[in-house]
Amino acid sequence: MPEPAARPCQPWLTCGARQMCEAMDLEITPNSINNTRLKLKRLTERGILVETEQGLFAQPWP
């Protein structure tokens, strides 16, 4: 039985680091996922993204 496809990352949804790696067509390795997570955390600190739950990021509503 095929594995279900991952939910695509869309701007109005929350996305995790793994989904962002898949959306950017990066290699899915622990190192690339962790680097993406750190970049998302940096964008959260700058107010560009919000962390809705631990590890889930979204664009803030205007």
Side-chain angles (χ1 to χ4, degrees), residues 9-44:
C9 186
Q10 299 170 354
W12 58 88
L13 298 174
T14 58
C15 294
R18 181 183 181 96
Q19 290 172 315
M20 290 298 292
C21 286
E22 291 170 353
M24 295 185 294
D25 201 29
L26 295 176
E27 187 177 352
I28 307 301
T29 62
N31 192 34
S32 66
I33 293 171
N34 191 46
N35 288 339
T36 302
R37 184 185 62 79
L38 292 172
K39 291 175 185 177
L40 292 170
K41 288 277 193 183
R42 235 177 279 135
L43 291 172
T44 301

Side-chain angles (χ1 to χ4, degrees), residues 42-59:
R42 235 177 279 135
L43 291 172
T44 301
E45 291 172 1
R46 295 178 182 168
I48 297 169
L49 296 177
V50 292
E51 191 170 7
T52 56
E53 296 177 31
Q54 184 177 0
L56 295 177
F57 302 88
Q59 289 180 324

